[in-house]
Amino acid sequence: MPRSTPKTAPTSLGALAAGFGLSLMSPTWAQTADDAQVKAMESNLPEVIVNATVNRTPASKQNYQAVTTTAGKGKQALRDIPQSITVVTEKLMEDKNQDTLKAAMHSVTGIAFEAGEGGAIGDLIRLRGFTTRGDIFLDGMRDIAQYNRDTFNQDRIEVLRGSASMLYGRGSTGGIINQVSKRPFLLTEHTVEARVGTDDDYRLQGDFNVKTGEDAALRVNVMKTDAHSSRNGPETHREGIAPTYSWGIGTADEFTVGFYHLSYKDVPDYGMAWLNGRPVDAAAERWYGFASDYQNDSANALTLSHTHRFAGGGELKTQFRDGRYQRDLWATTTSIQPINALSATSCQTPFVSGTSGPRVPAIYGSLQDSTVLCHGNQTRGASDHHRFLQTDYSGKAQWGGLRHELLAGAELTDERSNAFSYTSTSVLKPNDLFGEPGANAAVADTRVKSPATRFTSNTLGVYAQDTLSLTPQWKVLGGLRYDRFNGDYERTAGPLSRTDEVASHRIGLLYQPDASSSYYISEGNSFNASGDLYQFDPSTAKTPPEKSRNFEAGAKWDLFDGDLSVRTSIFRTEKTNERNTDLDQSTGAFLLSGKRHTHGVELEAAGRVSSALEVFGGIALMRGVIDKAGSAGAASVGKETGLTPRVTANLWATYQVSEQWRLGIGADGMSSRVPAAAETSINRAPGYVKADALIEYTQRDYKLKLNLNNLFNKVYVDGVYRGFTVWGPTRGAQLTLSKTF
């Protein structure tokens, strides 16, 4: 059957700019025809006519295995990217009932979860021991706002490991997390599902796709979730809607307009403070908060995009996003009253300071129902407004008798964050007893909102990369990027500002002896500007960016006729000039004399072993070490870096027993972790392994599935902070009924 080509369309990039009000770049690279020999072979092939119904349902809904990704910019084969990538598909998330980004990341190796570092809230994930607070993306554009993300509108999640500032700009030391939104497709198909579970868990979700024309479709995803926690107190109340309309699908000019809304009114869970260096597991199913606790957040984003496909195969994609985000939190912290407290009603000295900064438990007696609990406040809020304009080109060219695979692009950003706080000292939450869990009465809100600090930043970034085919088996890759990051911080103590101009690079070598195997080595760097997380102080405003680099070698294979993808890698990620609290006396800037690294190996597999057996799993063995530190952290040198578990692993497998019945079983876990920025403390969260299962029955367009979570009721800590820990859910079950029509 002859190869199809995109339809030509009169719409130009200039027309898009007029319609959307954007200024777009046009590529100057010449597009070339396919290799003449390949064309000649194709012209001699007999025409084959196939009479069948084309299923355009996205592959992410049908498989655990992914063979392409957008994490490397453009649409690329996984085998052509010389870095480790994990793709969590929609089918995997659905089978495991992973309805939040954090839950889905349990299917990714090399991760650990924070629990409030730096006064942050929302999805706080560590990758290879480095924070990803500024390294979460949505459709390739930065999604830095602090909120808890739901997966109701996610087609897949792509995790690119290793330093990647050449592709994404500031941050990306341990890697980036890219959420890929569901897009309209040319088939009218709808799915609705209702879920009910233990701990008063209820969720309604709909995915409606309507083909509105020959090359146009509308897709609307909606969600409402109400659930309690196994801790008998924290609650989740989420609502979301994401309509997306595309026209020109598959043609030379494709346009998309999408809107995303997520809001939640939760009762937050801040766990409990450490006790003698360990989590208080006896409180894993207890909550000691107050009825007045709340977390009210929202995310609203409008996205416009245009994709132009050139006749020679190149593609230029331009996107604009305007996002507005709100967050407001008032939570309760809980700790055990030390026996050296001043009185039975005093909780003012539950901790003593350690030499390197982290809080270390004081002296405690035995834990009993009559043990007094102390309570404090966590309060914070902000209003963010982010605007991004980004254009990315990908294509192929033939120069000098050699084949080139080109990537290039530019981005402009305008990011504004107004953060406020409350003076919470006027609200003293009364003590209670360990043996009396449950929500306390509401506390009158007499707090006073502090004046907001305002951070405004602008970024200009441009990049280009070429993958050169030296021979049919050997490819060499090289890329450069320039970023100019400017930040202005307005605060009551006086304004601060800083501008940084940084170059980033990426190089790699690939050996692909056949269509089913690929071997590579690569090196790339990244940078962290002082204000890339929307704050300065007088010293950081004078401090140049930190820099990091990643070395990696690996292999990727497609086995069982391409149905199973396997990858492995060995890596070393280094932060070469970490800032510390020692000052350069001549400038007042922090010294960049710190250093840390993480090295390790990874193995991962995804796909079908047989027509009935599908698997997804991996293991990462890591070691993080603090190599150098300032005088305040001298005791941490040689210590294991925080939130860098030596082992993380997961395995999930489903077996199609019959046409109607499918069974699934799996487990995930990690070894012990020390808190970040508290490497010298005695606090350590134990390792764990938890198991999950699936029983699914399908009849025509109906599907009934039962998810059994944490089968053996393992008590484990999921979120770790130097002051407290937050437990993961205990044993539970969820029953979901869905219909596709």
Side-chain angles (χ1 to χ4, degrees):
M1 184 168 65
R3 180 185 305 177
S4 63
T5 57
K7 303 175 185 178
T8 58
T11 309
S12 65
L13 294 179
L16 174 68
F20 285 168
L22 307 178
S23 298
L24 305 180
M25 292 175 32
S26 296
T28 58
W29 304 287
Q31 301 299 309
T32 64
D34 291 340
D35 184 86
Q37 183 179 1
V38 174
K39 279 196 166 186
M41 293 174 61
E42 289 180 343
S43 64
N44 293 326
L45 292 174
E47 182 177 8
V48 178
I49 299 176
V50 178
N51 295 314
T53 300
V54 178
N55 184 359
R56 296 181 178 88
T57 302
S60 182
K61 290 176 70 74
Q62 306 176 59
N63 303 290
Y64 293 166
Q65 179 194 34
V67 295
T68 62
T69 180
T70 57
K73 298 288 189 179
K75 186 177 181 180
Q76 296 177 278
L78 286 168
R79 69 193 305 267
D80 290 336
I81 297 179
Q83 286 178 249
S84 299
I85 296 180
T86 297
V87 180
V88 180
T89 65
E90 182 182 1
K91 182 182 180 183
L92 181 65
M93 289 186 282
E94 285 187 350
D95 281 355
K96 301 176 75 172
N97 261 1
Q98 295 172 330
D99 58 11
T100 65
L101 174 64
K102 182 178 179 181
M105 289 297 291
H106 280 272
S107 296
V108 178
T109 60
I111 55 92
F113 300 101
E114 304 175 2
E117 277 76 351
I121 59 176
D123 293 315
L124 303 171
I125 301 164
R126 292 254 169 173
L127 184 58
R128 288 184 174 176
F130 299 94
T131 183
T132 62
R133 273 182 60 190
D135 303 325
I136 299 177
F137 292 77
L138 178 61
D139 298 321
M141 289 188 288
R142 199 174 296 275
D143 187 31
I144 197 172
Q146 296 179 37
Y147 64 103
N148 297 309
R149 295 159 179 86
D150 193 284
T151 59
F152 80 98
N153 193 49
Q154 291 182 359
D155 176 78
R156 62 190 184 276
I157 299 169
E158 305 170 327
V159 181
L160 174 69
R161 294 170 176 80
S163 302
S165 283
M166 192 237 93
L167 295 172
Y168 289 97
R170 71 183 194 265
S172 66
T173 301
I176 66 99
I177 300 168
N178 183 42
Q179 309 157 91
V180 180
S181 299
K182 295 178 181 178
R183 301 293 295 270
F185 54 95
L186 296 177
L187 182 70
T188 296
E189 181 180 270
H190 315 302
T191 301
V192 293
E193 64 178 47
R195 185 181 81 197
V196 59
T198 52
D199 298 313
D200 295 324
D201 174 59
Y202 304 97
R203 182 178 174 95
L204 292 173
Q205 187 169 333
D207 184 350
F208 306 97
N209 192 87
V210 181
K211 182 181 178 182
T212 60
E214 183 181 1
D215 55 22
L218 170 69
R219 191 170 186 179
V220 180
N221 279 271
V222 294
M223 172 275 303
K224 180 174 176 56
T225 300
D226 292 292
H228 287 206
S229 164
S230 58
R231 296 233 316 133
N232 295 317
E235 300 177 12
T236 295
H237 303 282
R238 296 196 303 269
E239 296 179 349
I241 183 169
T244 306
Y245 181 63
S246 295
W247 66 99
I249 298 173
T251 70
D253 286 284
E254 182 175 328
F255 298 85
T256 297
V257 177
F259 180 75
Y260 177 88
H261 167 76
L262 174 68
S263 62
Y264 49 92
K265 297 182 178 180
D266 293 354
V267 177
D269 184 1
Y270 266 70
M272 183 174 284
W274 302 86
L275 177 61
N276 299 326
R278 299 274 297 186
V280 185
D281 285 346
E285 296 185 83
R286 303 180 180 188
W287 184 67
Y288 300 92
F290 286 73
S292 49
D293 292 358
Y294 67 84
Q295 182 176 353
N296 298 335
D297 297 359
S298 65
N300 295 279
L302 172 68
T303 303
L304 313 174
S305 74
H306 168 252
T307 300
H308 180 75
R309 300 179 177 95
F310 296 91
E315 182 176 287
L316 179 68
K317 182 175 183 179
T318 302
Q319 302 180 89
F320 172 77
R321 177 174 297 142
D322 187 294
R324 298 171 187 266
Y325 310 87
Q326 303 284 339
R327 60 182 183 272
D328 188 5
L329 174 140
W330 188 18
T332 297
T333 59
T334 302
S335 59
I336 307 297
Q337 183 187 35
I339 62 175
N340 59 349
L342 298 178
S343 70
T345 59
S346 173
C347 281
Q348 302 304 304
T349 57
F351 293 94
V352 295
S353 298
T355 57
S356 60
R359 300 191 297 176
V360 179
I363 301 172
Y364 298 95
S366 59
L367 185 62
Q368 302 174 4
D369 284 349
S370 59
T371 299
V372 176
L373 299 182
C374 309
H375 298 297
N377 293 293
Q378 282 283 351
T379 62
R380 61 194 64 137
S383 174
D384 296 342
H385 184 195
H386 301 162
R387 288 177 290 185
F388 303 99
L389 174 61
Q390 182 170 308
T391 184
D392 299 291
Y393 171 82
S394 60
K396 298 178 181 179
Q398 198 81 15
W399 297 334
L402 297 174
R403 189 177 182 86
H404 302 258
E405 298 173 43
L406 303 169
L407 292 175
E411 68 171 312
L412 293 170
T413 74
D414 179 71
E415 302 167 69
R416 301 171 186 268
S417 180
N418 295 319
F420 60 88
S421 60
Y422 295 95
T423 55
S424 58
T425 53
S426 59
V427 179
L428 297 178
K429 294 182 176 178
N431 306 345
D432 56 8
L433 302 180
F434 184 78
E436 298 179 357
N440 293 287
V443 175
D445 190 356
T446 59
R447 299 171 301 162
V448 177
K449 184 181 290 188
S450 298
T453 60
R454 179 185 177 96
F455 193 96
T456 303
S457 65
N458 303 104
T459 302
L460 167 65
V462 292
Y463 76 93
Q465 176 184 285
D466 186 8
T467 301
L468 178 63
S469 296
L470 301 175
T471 72
Q473 293 79 33
W474 289 94
K475 296 179 180 179
V476 61
L477 174 152
L480 292 172
R481 180 183 176 111
Y482 164 82
D483 281 282
R484 184 181 188 274
F485 177 77
N486 170 260
D488 293 292
Y489 191 40
E490 299 177 13
R491 58 188 190 128
T492 55
L496 297 168
S497 64
R498 179 174 181 84
T499 299
D500 291 298
E501 298 185 40
V502 184
S504 306
H505 70 270
R506 182 190 192 206
I507 57 175
L509 179 67
L510 296 102
Y511 173 58
Q512 298 173 334
D514 52 52
S516 61
S517 58
S518 181
Y519 306 88
Y520 67 88
I521 57 174
S522 66
E523 186 268 338
N525 69 345
S526 63
F527 71 95
N528 292 92
S530 294
D532 60 6
L533 293 177
Y534 303 152
Q535 60 184 355
F536 283 134
D537 61 36
S539 298
T540 56
K542 301 176 183 179
T543 305
E546 300 175 323
K547 295 183 179 180
S548 305
R549 59 190 178 190
N550 182 72
F551 302 92
E552 188 168 318
K556 301 175 184 180
W557 301 279
D558 292 324
L559 308 178
F560 298 100
D561 295 325
D563 288 340
L564 180 70
S565 295
V566 179
R567 70 165 184 85
T568 187
S569 65
I570 182 171
F571 66 89
R572 181 182 175 94
T573 303
E574 302 175 340
K575 187 176 284 289
T576 57
N577 64 338
E578 186 173 39
R579 70 177 66 92
N580 60 65
T581 55
D582 292 338
L583 288 179
D584 182 335
Q585 298 300 322
S586 62
T587 63
F590 285 131
L591 292 178
L592 295 173
S593 57
K595 184 176 180 180
R596 68 178 61 207
H597 78 271
T598 303
H599 61 264
V601 296
E602 296 174 341
L603 176 67
E604 186 177 84
R608 294 188 179 277
V609 178
S610 69
S611 59
L613 179 61
E614 191 168 15
V615 300
F616 186 99
I619 185 171
L621 308 177
M622 303 186 299
R623 176 76 190 280
V625 178
I626 298 175
D627 301 302
K628 295 181 181 179
S631 59
S636 67
V637 174
K639 299 285 188 180
E640 176 183 338
T641 56
L643 290 175
T644 312
R646 294 201 178 188
V647 181
T648 59
N650 66 84
L651 179 63
W652 176 259
T654 60
Y655 189 79
Q656 194 76 42
V657 179
S658 66
E659 186 177 352
Q660 286 81 32
W661 290 95
R662 188 165 66 110
L663 303 178
I665 188 72
D668 68 84
M670 62 184 68
S671 58
S672 62
R673 296 136 288 158
V674 297
E679 287 84 0
T680 59
S681 74
I682 63 173
N683 297 336
R684 177 174 288 270
Y688 71 91
V689 175
K690 66 176 180 66
D692 307 304
L694 165 72
I695 304 172
E696 180 184 272
Y697 176 78
T698 303
Q699 182 66 42
R700 296 180 181 175
D701 297 327
Y702 290 91
K703 181 166 63 178
L704 183 67
K705 65 173 183 174
L706 175 65
N707 286 88
L708 304 172
N709 306 315
N710 197 353
L711 280 173
F712 305 107
N713 205 29
K714 176 66 177 179
V715 174
Y716 68 98
V717 166
D718 204 27
V720 178
Y721 180 55
R722 63 179 180 267
F724 56 87
T725 62
V726 180
W727 291 271
T730 54
R731 182 163 48 211
Q734 296 168 323
L735 184 67
T736 305
L737 175 65
S738 63
K739 176 177 173 56
T740 300
F741 56 98

